[in-house]
Amino acid sequence: MSQDTVSIKNNNTGEQAEFSLLKGTLGTPTIDIGTLNKNLGLFTYDPGFVSTASCKSNITYIDGEKGILLYRGYPIEQLAKQSSFLEVAYLLMNGELPTENKLFNFSNEINHHTILHESLSGFFSGFHYDAHPMAMMVGVVGSLSAFYHGQLNMEDPEHRRISALRMLAKMPTIAAACYQHSIGYPIVYPRRDLEYCENFLNMMFSLPSQTNAQRDKQIDPITVKALNLLFILHADHEQNASTSTVRLASSTGANPYACIAAGISALWGPSHGGANEAVLKMLMEIGTIENIPKYLKKAKDKNDPFRLMGFGHRVYKNFDPRATIIRETCHEVLAHFPTDDPLFELALALEEYALKDEYFIEKKLYPNVDFYSGIIYRALKIPENMFTVMFVIARTAGWVSHWLEMMAEPTHRISRPRQLYTGYDKRDYTPTNLRK
Ligand code: SDX
């Protein structure tokens, strides 16, 4: 029997078949079960896709047991310390780190596409001021498909490249516009003289009455550095729920902006990218270090829906390397922006309690990327309801990279899972007057 196959025997029927064992550069080998139904008349059943690889990808590698995260082979710790978000976005999209000249051109192209079509800006007036920014993001990003559709030829690599670039470029402009709309201020236009994170901060925090000099003065280099780091750490993460959503939507050939809007919808959930906002709400609910045991008890109680937000991960059964890096940055940012905010101390104490607790140890529940990110965003004066929007800006780099990878494949099939049917067997219709 070949070393590169797996035998599956149906003991129910005695039938057996061989399936190819596919090995990647790193990580868990996979069984190619594409012919399982044809050869053995079976489907696999894996709700939540705990043991299911949906695709091949060269972009990001995660080792959950060892807490390893590589972007195109580069360790996240090295990129976090030495790179910028735009350079990492280039790496994820193109597969290699850019030369100085390529990065310069990439940054200029991004800058060129940051502006929104003026009639798209009108979309914001349709939202109440208190609409959740993620609801606005879903709507406005999806509406980009109304501005870039007819002329898009998805078979043309250059059209695909420009579409990806546009998405990455416009996301901060749309995100900042959501915030300005929520506080009743006019949209601030992007500037050609500012770097990606600086531009976002300028669009986010500029006030109508300020001069450009005042606006420039309020862009703090520590804030820019912290944002670059947070965006790098959130840029991609293999086949997480929102990236898988983008891939599944894109498999039908749908407009790429509409597919990214689907990814934003998936990211919003508190089990996924919405956790950073939920962590802050949880810390505020816990309130004091004295209350931690009570809330840990709730988190362990199966009858209590309360979960420790920012803890646990489908893949990491060790420290999420991003959480470790963010925790270190918390110290630096909070030292620079002295606040009397007790939440960081409370988060450190909560982490300490949880990591000593049998339940969390046994279930390998460690802090994930969302546990500390909200504390930094809060110190940077980003409002809570914008935390997941920040995640959207960063993860757009990953979403468009996976979209480009998938669309460049010579053959990609529509994603169409099957099911285990547990409903009624065939039965006949009975007229209303005969029903009991
Ligand atoms: C992100 O996939 C990605 O890569 C995501 C992400 C990315 O970059 O894209 O890393 C970003 O989404 C991080 C995760 C943010 N979410 C949260 O912090 C929400 C809180 N965490 C949980 O909801 C949960 O841990 C998940 C959703 C993250 C993972 O869910 P799984 O893999 O389905 O795990 P599970 O729910 O099956 O949990 C296994 C056990 C269960 O107990 P038993 O049924 O075995 O008795 O652990 C328990 C769970 O009840 N558990 C928790 C818990 N997380 C899991 N118990 C208390 N508090 C928690 N946070």
Side-chain angles (χ1 to χ4, degrees):
M1 222 164 281
S2 153
Q3 293 293 315
D4 294 331
T5 62
V6 169
S7 306
I8 297 179
K9 181 178 178 188
N10 180 348
N11 293 323
N12 193 271
T13 62
E15 289 175 301
Q16 177 167 324
E18 304 293 299
F19 298 88
S20 305
L21 186 63
L22 306 177
K23 293 175 187 159
T25 321
L26 298 167
T28 309
T30 61
I31 306 169
D32 181 348
I33 52 156
T35 56
L36 179 69
N37 188 24
K38 183 165 138 270
N39 292 344
L40 291 179
L42 297 171
F43 290 150
T44 58
Y45 178 68
D46 183 14
F49 307 120
V50 177
S51 304
T52 295
S54 60
C55 63
K56 289 180 182 174
S57 178
N58 302 332
I59 300 172
T60 292
Y61 173 69
I62 308 172
D63 182 319
E65 290 303 325
K66 298 186 187 122
I68 291 171
L69 169 56
L70 308 176
Y71 286 166
R72 298 286 188 177
Y74 294 98
I76 191 67
E77 294 80 4
Q78 295 181 24
L79 294 169
K81 283 197 178 70
Q82 304 173 68
S83 189
S84 68
F85 173 63
L86 267 199
E87 183 177 65
V88 165
Y90 182 99
L91 170 67
L92 291 170
M93 289 166 73
N94 297 285
E96 299 296 339
L97 286 168
T99 60
E100 210 165 343
N101 191 39
K102 283 182 179 172
L103 182 58
F104 177 77
N105 293 336
F106 181 69
S107 181
N108 279 344
E109 271 201 293
I110 289 283
N111 235 326
H112 175 74
H113 287 283
T114 49
I115 193 85
L116 301 180
H117 191 292
E118 199 55 25
S119 43
L120 191 139
S121 307
F123 272 75
F124 292 93
S125 59
F127 292 106
H128 287 175
Y129 75 94
D130 59 353
H132 194 290
M134 282 298 282
M136 291 194 254
M137 291 295 286
V138 171
V140 177
V141 171
S143 73
L144 284 171
S145 55
F147 293 82
Y148 306 103
H149 187 69
Q151 76 277 21
L152 274 189
N153 170 11
M154 286 299 104
E155 297 311 312
D156 181 337
E158 182 54 14
H159 277 223
R160 297 200 297 261
R161 189 187 72 86
I162 289 294
S163 300
L165 210 75
R166 259 197 204 111
M167 198 67 265
L168 192 62
K170 294 182 191 312
M171 207 56 95
T173 312
I174 296 169
C178 291
Y179 173 64
Q180 293 285 5
H181 177 72
S182 73
I183 56 175
Y185 280 149
I187 290 175
V188 176
Y189 286 87
R191 283 168 41 181
R192 299 297 299 269
D193 62 325
L194 296 177
E195 172 270 335
Y196 195 84
C197 290
E198 292 170 338
N199 227 337
F200 170 69
L201 290 168
N202 181 58
M203 293 185 283
M204 177 85 180
F205 292 120
S206 293
L207 302 174
S209 56
Q210 284 176 321
T211 63
N212 263 356
Q214 286 169 321
R215 292 178 175 189
D216 291 351
K217 199 158 167 292
Q218 75 185 8
I219 299 176
D220 183 310
I222 293 284
T223 305
V224 173
K225 182 173 170 248
L227 265 195
N228 265 295
L229 174 74
L230 287 163
F231 284 173
I232 288 170
L233 296 176
H234 286 82
D236 191 49
H237 215 238
E238 194 215 72
Q239 304 309 320
N240 58 84
S242 52
T243 301
S244 298
T245 301
V246 171
R247 277 182 171 260
L248 192 141
S250 306
S251 75
T252 69
N255 180 290
Y257 303 99
C259 297
I260 297 293
I264 295 173
S265 306
L267 188 75
W268 191 1
S271 291
H272 190 14
N276 52 21
E277 182 179 352
V279 166
L280 254 291
K281 286 190 167 60
M282 174 189 74
L283 290 172
M284 286 193 260
E285 185 186 339
I286 294 174
T288 64
I289 293 176
E290 293 67 42
N291 284 340
I292 290 177
K294 181 177 85 175
Y295 279 89
L296 281 185
K297 193 159 174 282
K298 282 168 63 68
K300 297 185 280 188
D301 176 357
K302 288 288 159 238
N303 301 315
D304 190 323
F306 177 82
R307 280 199 164 182
L308 215 51
M309 302 315 280
F311 266 79
H313 198 278
R314 173 59 59 75
V315 176
Y316 290 124
K317 301 305 172 193
N318 196 322
F319 264 89
D320 178 335
R322 303 167 298 176
T324 308
I325 297 167
I326 289 182
R327 187 193 319 117
E328 287 157 16
T329 309
C330 263
H331 287 292
E332 183 186 324
V333 168
L334 294 176
H336 183 75
F337 297 106
T339 64
D340 58 353
D341 187 349
L343 293 187
F344 184 49
E345 296 318 314
L346 179 59
L348 288 171
L350 178 58
E351 180 188 37
E352 197 182 332
Y353 266 88
L355 293 182
K356 287 181 189 150
D357 185 288
E358 253 326 292
Y359 173 93
F360 287 87
I361 294 168
E362 186 252 322
K363 292 186 187 298
K364 298 186 177 182
L365 301 174
Y366 290 87
N368 59 51
V369 68
D370 292 306
F371 187 62
Y372 286 103
S373 54
I375 292 165
I376 297 187
Y377 286 136
R378 192 174 151 92
L380 302 181
K381 302 283 180 275
I382 306 277
E384 259 166 65
N385 66 4
M386 284 288 291
F387 288 179
T388 311
V389 174
M390 304 300 282
F391 201 145
V392 168
I393 296 173
R395 189 51 57 90
T396 298
W399 290 333
V400 298
S401 300
H402 282 272
W403 178 73
L404 288 171
E405 181 177 68
M406 183 176 155
M407 297 306 282
E409 284 163 3
T411 53
H412 49 264
R413 308 180 69 187
I414 188 168
S415 297
R416 201 275 186 220
R418 301 305 303 273
Q419 64 175 14
L420 179 67
Y421 176 68
T422 54
Y424 283 105
D425 196 342
K426 183 173 169 297
R427 57 181 175 158
D428 294 327
Y429 180 84
T430 46
T432 318
N433 61 329
L434 296 182
R435 288 175 210 154
K436 292 190 181 41

